[in-house]
Amino acid sequence: SSGINAEYGAEHLTGFNNQLQAKMLFSVDAMLSPPDIIVNPPYNELFKHLMQSVRGCIESTKNFTRWMAGTCIEVPPQGEREDEAVVFSYHSDIQNVSQITDMSMIVSQTITKSLGALKNVLNKWKKYRPLWKLDKTIMMEKFAC
C-alpha cells in the first residue's frame, strides 16, 4: 500500500533528521583568510549535498517497481518504444504525500539551522580581526601593552 510506503519513507527522513540533530555527521575546515574565515566545503556545497541525500531517499523508491494486482509479478514497462517506456514504481505513490514533503521541509530547516549555528560559532572569531591585519608587529605591540 502507498500509505505504508509513505510511512516507511517518512520514518527514514525522520531518522536522517534526528541524526543531523544528534551527531556530528561531517566536519568542515575553517581557515583564516584575512579579513574572513573561509569554510571548506562552502556552506552552499554542504547544503546542496545534504539535500541531495534527502532527494536520494525519495528517488530511491523508483527502484521498487509495482506488482500486478493480486500477484508478485512486476508490472512491465509501458510504452510503444523502449526509450519512452514508463516504469510503474512506488515513487509516483509517495513523492507528493504530505508526510514526505513535510518531513523533507523539516530536514531542510534542520540543515539550515545547523549551518547557521556553524556560522555563529565562526562569527565569534571575528572579534580577533585586528590580530589578522597585515602589520602584525604593530598589532602585537598594541595588544602587548
Side-chain angles (χ1 to χ4, degrees), residues 19-48:
Q19 291 293 315
L20 285 171
Q21 293 175 333
K23 295 182 180 180
M24 182 178 77
L25 296 181
F26 57 88
S27 64
V28 297
D29 291 324
M31 297 167 282
L32 178 60
S33 178
D36 294 316
I37 299 173
I38 306 296
V39 176
N40 191 29
Y43 296 110
N44 61 335
E45 289 292 314
L46 288 167
F47 184 81
K48 182 177 86 173

Side-chain angles (χ1 to χ4, degrees), residues 7-8 22 28 33-35 42 49-50 72 75 79 85 111-112 114 116 130-131 135:
E7 288 176 33
Y8 182 70
V28 297
S33 178
H49 290 297
L50 289 169
C72 294
V75 174
I111 292 168
T112 300
S114 297
L131 296 174
D135 195 349

Side-chain angles (χ1 to χ4, degrees), residues 11 16 34 49 67 70 87 92-93 100 132:
E11 283 179 28
F16 182 61
H49 290 297
W67 292 346
V87 176
S92 58
D93 291 345
I100 300 295
W132 305 339

Side-chain angles (χ1 to χ4, degrees), residues 74-145:
E74 291 182 1
V75 174
Q78 306 293 308
E80 296 287 321
R81 297 183 359 212
E82 191 173 313
D83 61 336
E84 293 179 355
V86 176
V87 176
F88 291 99
S89 69
Y90 288 103
H91 182 261
S92 58
D93 291 345
I94 71 160
Q95 70 178 345
N96 295 318
V97 172
S98 64
Q99 279 180 285
I100 300 295
T101 55
D102 292 348
M103 201 60 229
S104 296
M105 183 63 73
I106 290 169
V107 172
S108 173
Q109 291 167 350
T110 298
I111 292 168
T112 300
K113 183 178 174 183
S114 297
L115 294 177
L118 174 60
K119 284 181 183 179
N120 289 339
V121 167
L122 294 177
N123 282 337
K124 290 179 182 178
W125 287 93
K126 287 186 178 180
K127 66 183 177 185
Y128 299 107
R129 271 192 177 158
L131 296 174
W132 305 339
K133 295 207 178 198
L134 293 178
D135 195 349
K136 291 182 180 107
T137 306
I138 294 172
M139 293 309 297
M140 292 302 287
E141 287 175 8
K142 181 179 175 183
F143 277 97
C145 292

